[in-house]
Each structure stands twice: as C-alpha cells, then as structure tokens.
Amino acid sequence: MNPIEGKNVVVTGGGSGIGLGIAQSLASAGAKVVIAGRNEDKLKKAAESFDENPPLVKACDVADRTDARQLFEWANEQIGEIDIVVNSAGVNIAKRRMEVLDPSDFDKLIAVNCTGFFNVLHAVLPSMRQRKDGIVFNVSSIAGKRALPLAGAAYAASKFAATALGTEIGAEEAGNGIRITNVYPGEVNTPLLDDRPEPVPDEKKAQMVHPEDIGAMVVAIAQLPKHVVVPEIIVKPLYQEFL
C-alpha cells in the first residue's frame, strides 16, 4: 500500500521552484494537493504543468495571519483535513549586504520566511493535534544553519528563525504524533536565483540541486512509518561545501 495515496496536502510557495517540485512529486505519489502562493495566475499556470493529479490552487500571503487561517479553512472544505504541509514560501532580495540592506526589506524577509511559517503552523496544528497525526516539511536553507554572505543577513536571520520554530515545535508536538522535518537546501536551480546580486550562469544552474530532487526526498520521508521522524536533512550540490 502507498502511504501517500489519498493524503491531503497543502504546499505554500507552490507556484514555482522547490514548492512546485515537491507538490508535483506528492501528486505523482497519489496525494490530493493544494498549491498556495500570492500570485493566483502563477499558481494556475503551475497547475497546468502537472502530468497527473492536478492540484487545486489558492491565493494566499502567508505573512498575513488571516490569509493563512483562511487558506486552511478553505482547504479543509475542498479536500478534507490536512495530513501533510509543506512550508516552501520564501523570498530573498538582491541588495543583501548590511551596507545596502533596506530595513523594509529586512522586515519583508522576516514576515514571509519566519512569521509566515509560524502563521501556517498556527493554522494547521490544531486539527493535527486532534487527530494525533500530521507531517510538516519546513523548507529552510543551508543559510538557516550557517550564516553565509552569499545569502545575506536578512535571509540568514529569517531562516535561522524558521529553523528554530521547526525544531522547537517539532519537539513540543512529538507526543501528539506530529512529525516536523527541517529541510536545508543548498544551491537549488529555482527562480529565486534571479534575486542574486550577480547573474548565475546556466552551466552552474545545471550542477545545482533541482526542485524534483527535493520532491523525491520529501516523498521518501513522508512514506516512513508514523513512529519515525527525520528532524532535519541537508541536500546540496556535490560542488558546494558545507563545513
């Protein structure tokens, strides 16, 4: 029996990049998937890329607590109570160094990358607690374990905070049968690269991790028995150091 078949899934940041790759992998494994993000047109276009089992789409800004709550209320009505949540909504900026970092950009990254994750968990955990079951994948970053100039101060701070939320809340909720996995990607070929201070050559993009690689990993973890949790996992290109 496929443990993912028929499971109800919400993927935030599902319109592109890592979120889309994970959503496609879970749908291919038989899950009923909702992809959420701020741009509804982008989500609809992403939904057309699914080879099978196309997702439902819902516009949502996870940085808005009301929006996040309404996303899960809507998803519960459409597909049923949520079994798996993938927190993949994330942003970065081009002007990352402290000497050029705009305070409003710092606030934006904290609001989306950290507070957004809190809002998602706050909305979905009550039903998971009641059922004593649920899986959460928190897509953090290597920059959420090692603060790197390439990522920038605001991004690293926001991802360290998201890492802490996933780790601490995972420990709190273990007794309720809820499993939280922090995922730490290294360099991944996604549209987020467009926000790099310098353009990334195509030949380097080809050597990076691809969203479907992370999708395959998420499916494998989600298929583990309920008494097993993978608290964190690092996935990076072969060339990238992690010291």
Side-chain angles (χ1 to χ4, degrees):
M1 179 181 175
N2 176 3
I4 296 177
E5 184 77 34
K7 293 293 187 181
N8 300 328
V9 178
V10 170
V11 181
T12 67
S16 65
I18 294 174
L20 178 56
I22 294 173
Q24 289 171 330
S25 296
L26 288 167
S28 294
K32 293 180 288 184
V33 178
V34 170
I35 55 173
R38 289 175 292 179
N39 187 322
E40 187 171 11
D41 289 338
K42 183 178 178 181
L43 292 168
K44 289 179 178 178
K45 185 175 180 181
E48 294 173 358
S49 70
F50 282 60
D51 295 329
E52 55 185 327
N53 200 13
L56 298 178
V57 305
K58 177 66 172 175
C60 173
D61 179 0
V62 296
D64 183 310
R65 195 155 295 145
T66 300
D67 244 21
R69 174 177 53 79
Q70 291 176 345
L71 165 64
F72 286 95
E73 290 174 350
W74 177 87
N76 288 345
E77 292 173 356
Q78 297 297 315
I79 62 174
E81 291 186 315
I82 305 307
D83 302 297
I84 301 173
V85 171
V86 179
N87 171 58
S88 191
V91 293
N92 205 349
I93 50 175
K95 295 182 178 180
R96 304 176 179 186
R97 297 185 66 85
M98 192 63 187
E99 61 186 341
V100 295
L101 178 59
D102 189 310
S104 65
D105 282 337
F106 179 88
D107 293 343
K108 179 177 75 173
L109 266 62
I110 294 295
V112 176
N113 298 350
C114 172
T115 305
F117 180 42
F118 171 84
N119 292 341
V120 165
L121 287 179
H122 194 264
V124 76
L125 286 180
S127 66
M128 289 184 171
R129 287 190 200 106
Q130 188 174 27
R131 289 178 290 118
K132 297 290 185 181
D133 190 22
I135 304 174
V136 178
F137 291 96
N138 175 34
V139 181
S140 182
S141 168
I142 279 181
K145 289 182 76 71
R146 305 280 192 276
L148 305 169
L150 178 63
Y155 187 80
S158 68
K159 289 298 187 177
F160 261 78
T163 291
L165 283 173
T167 302
E168 197 282 334
I169 296 172
E172 279 188 26
E173 300 292 349
N176 292 318
I178 299 168
R179 293 160 281 162
I180 298 181
T181 297
N182 282 338
V183 181
Y184 305 107
E187 291 195 303
V188 184
N189 184 11
T190 75
L192 203 62
L193 295 176
D194 295 339
D195 292 324
R196 287 274 180 95
E198 300 293 335
V200 180
D202 289 341
E203 55 269 25
K204 184 171 184 181
K205 289 181 180 179
Q207 297 176 334
M208 292 180 177
V209 175
H210 295 276
E212 58 268 27
D213 302 329
I214 300 177
M217 181 184 68
V218 164
V219 168
I221 293 173
Q223 290 177 324
L224 293 170
K226 292 181 179 181
H227 65 274
V228 175
V229 63
V230 179
E232 57 181 29
I233 190 163
I234 298 165
V235 54
K236 68 176 189 64
L238 189 60
Y239 67 79
Q240 187 176 8
E241 293 185 348
F242 183 75
L243 304 174

